[in-house]
Amino acid sequence: MDIQKVLSEMTLEEKCSLLSGADFWHTKAVERLGIPAMMMSDGPHGLRKQDQTGDHLGINDSIKAVCFPTACATAASFDREAVRAIGREIGAACQHEDLGVILGPAVNIKRSPLCGRNFEYFSEDPYLAGEMAVSLIDGVQSQGVGTSIKHFAANSQEHRRMSSDSVIDERTLREIYFPAFEQAVKRAKPWTVMCSYNKLNGTHASQNRELLTGVLREDWGFDGLVMSDWGAVSDRVAGVPAGLDLEMPSSGGSNDRRVLQAVREGRLSEEAVDVAAGRVLQMVDRYLTSRRPDTPWDMEAQHALARRIAAECMVLLKNEDDMLPLHEGEKLAVIGRFAAHPRFQGGGSSHINSFRVESLMDALQGMPGITYAQGYDVKSEEPDEALIAEAVEAAAHADKAVIVAGLPDSFESEGYDRTHIRMPRCQVELIERVAKANPNVVVVLYNGSPVEMPWLHCAKAVIEGYLGGQAVGGATKDVLFGTVNPCGCLPESFPIKLEDNPSYLTYGGEGDVAVYAEGVFVGYRYYDKKKMDVLFPFGHGLSYTTFAYANLRLSADRIRDTDALTVSVDVTNTGKRAGKTVVQLYVGDKECEVFRPVRELKDFAKISLEPGETKTVTFTLEKRAFAYWNVKLHDWFVESGAFTVEIGRSSRDIALSSEVYVEGTQTVPMTVTPDTIYLDLMKNEKARRVLAPMMEKKRLLDNENGSSSEAAAEAITDEMNEAMFLYSPLRAMVSFDQSMTYDEVQALADEINNA
Ligand code: BGC
């Protein structure tokens, strides 16, 4: 399509009307010019394609589709290829259904376990979230279908989601809340970005120029379309020049008319409308040139893939006495409603109408020695004596009890936040009572976000299954019996209790103001710095085999920040089973002017090893791995100094550690004033040069004077003297020794600045 030509043939009214959807899921057609409508659908872990009676909360039915493991689960796979494979399948399904864009991935950071929508998000770690987003987008778009990475930005709570103002400092945004979007935009080039409901630092995301144009387009080079989250538009006229191209779903034409009027009255330029309308046409054009509605959609094959990947997402949290894997022939009590009716996805816009759901009991069908007991109900938290008694009885007669527990739908969902992270009382009591009847308890959890585990001592083995998609039952069986060796790792920290979480004091905000007061110290960045015990750390995940790490090698012990550093490590499977492990690479700045975490994930690799096999894993670290966001430079900056390079099994289990000195090649500009203190002056090359003669004079004088008496020497120690000096401003010369006037000090400051 010749977009400029089409635009030139359109009336202003037609162009304005293109800036909002025709209905819940379609763009508007311009029949006169042969431009068809384009359909999009949620996302992100399968298709929620609805007809005209659409809604954005997953209320009305959508077509039958395949529900893949949700983002909380796929992030635990730490497997880029697995996520790409899901993306490819979703893309193919979209082609089959003639959809232009799928609304996802959702990459908001898990600031608190309370966020009702955490199940749809990847991680508390921006690097991991970014890698997962890039993989999913790559996969979908390889099929000629667009994605809409969402919700841009800083939408880490559901509480007051349409009115809340996320107040976040520049460095925290750049280091924590932006990178997943940034990486995706730069590397995977999503066709579209969806702005969030919330305000960011006082301005609605949907009309935030700094966000939608400054950061997204000017800094990161985004050249696709920005659409609003469903109903996120406040002032549509302000949104157009800010960079919001498409309002979704629609305003019944009323906002289009406001835009039209603003152009007519000269409050908005026609060029701004052309830019936005041009981007809508560009998206439709991409759809038209890539559509392949004859693409087959093999749901059974996708179900099998969903099962394989769900198994590789499961995290073995604990495994005492080699409780797992289970062995065929063991007498098993399988307990818990979720064993027969799994919770495998979350509520809201991502809710898929699965064509088939496979429970653990389905997967175990025909296997001898299995007794099932429901154990609890999901409608009430109250322990049900009869159900518990039945479960206890089953456990008492079994070799092992497998309890499938977790969070019922009402405990976490899009649209509202959790108020606590406890499991339902009936489930906790069930676990405790079953453990009394049979000490060999295995707990499998289906939940979208961390829970407290006061019952942990009652279970010898625990699997975190997250919300594993429609094939979760088969996947659970595969992991329990060791057909698949567990290889997932936690993409988030599990705190001992909610109150430990760094955002606990301010999460949710006061009224509409949500200050992200913990700054960059989100998740393990906080727990590690505080040396706080957690229930399970970020990156934790066991296997039925063991892995040894050796020979951490760095390509240099000193680099400049413009050089790359190669890091390699040998990993050996020291157990008796084949297995996969996630090699995690962390970097930490040993000393820095700004507050930084002890370590941050900078790369990872998931590798597969036969028993006894060794593989060398090699990573390449570039400037960004060492840099922090400097708010004076408004750029990434490496402060010269030593950095730790660590290989971990989790953020708390560091297997190998080394160090590299990185020399920063940028300088942070400094403007000296009479108020600048000597501590800062002495770090500045120009200031040191200009002040050198003065400093020499001071040294001589100090030597000459010494302390007048022993008592004086005690009252003013050398350390104190030094500190008093370093913390004094340049203008101290005016008030203390009166060696200069204020004007002379100002002249000195100017001299340094001009040196
Ligand atoms: C959600 C989006 C979703 C949209 C359309 C909104 O409520 O926040 O993630 O894509 O609805 O259903």
Side-chain angles (χ1 to χ4, degrees), residues 283-300:
M283 174 177 74
V284 174
D285 184 45
R286 279 177 139 174
Y287 151 70
L288 290 174
T289 50
S290 353
R291 68 187 279 266
R292 291 194 313 268
D294 54 351
T295 305
W297 183 3
D298 184 345
M299 291 203 205
E300 284 298 341

Side-chain angles (χ1 to χ4, degrees), residues 25 42 48 56 117 150-151 161 194 197 229 414:
W25 307 115
D42 282 309
R48 186 172 72 95
H56 65 122
R117 219 170 169 181
K150 63 191 187 183
H151 311 85
R161 67 172 176 166
M194 186 193 293
Y197 282 128
D229 197 346
E414 176 177 343

Side-chain angles (χ1 to χ4, degrees), residues 176-315:
I176 304 290
Y177 295 97
F178 283 172
F181 293 99
E182 179 192 0
Q183 291 306 313
V185 163
K186 287 181 173 168
R187 288 159 53 199
K189 303 201 184 315
W191 290 14
T192 81
V193 168
M194 186 193 293
C195 80
S196 55
Y197 282 128
N198 54 288
K199 293 179 185 165
L200 177 57
N201 292 329
T203 307
H204 279 101
S206 58
Q207 60 200 60
N208 194 318
R209 194 206 165 269
E210 176 53 21
L211 185 68
L212 302 185
T213 299
V215 172
L216 185 62
R217 297 190 189 277
E218 292 166 5
D219 290 0
W220 302 341
F222 180 65
D223 62 2
L225 167 139
V226 178
M227 69 177 80
S228 71
D229 197 346
W230 269 230
V233 167
S234 174
D235 181 345
R236 184 65 184 109
V237 176
V240 175
L244 179 72
D245 306 308
L246 177 64
E247 170 182 16
M248 286 305 288
S250 105
S251 60
S254 68
N255 276 340
D256 304 344
R257 287 192 292 277
R258 290 185 66 218
V259 171
L260 178 68
Q261 199 177 343
V263 176
R264 288 203 172 129
E265 290 171 5
R267 287 179 286 118
L268 179 67
S269 71
E270 186 164 351
E271 290 72 53
V273 171
D274 284 357
V275 168
R279 292 200 190 112
V280 175
L281 292 173
Q282 180 197 35
M283 174 177 74
V284 174
D285 184 45
R286 279 177 139 174
Y287 151 70
L288 290 174
T289 50
S290 353
R291 68 187 279 266
R292 291 194 313 268
D294 54 351
T295 305
W297 183 3
D298 184 345
M299 291 203 205
E300 284 298 341
Q302 289 193 351
H303 180 88
L305 178 75
R307 173 171 175 164
R308 183 174 70 69
I309 292 177
E312 305 221 334
C313 298
M314 295 199 171
V315 185

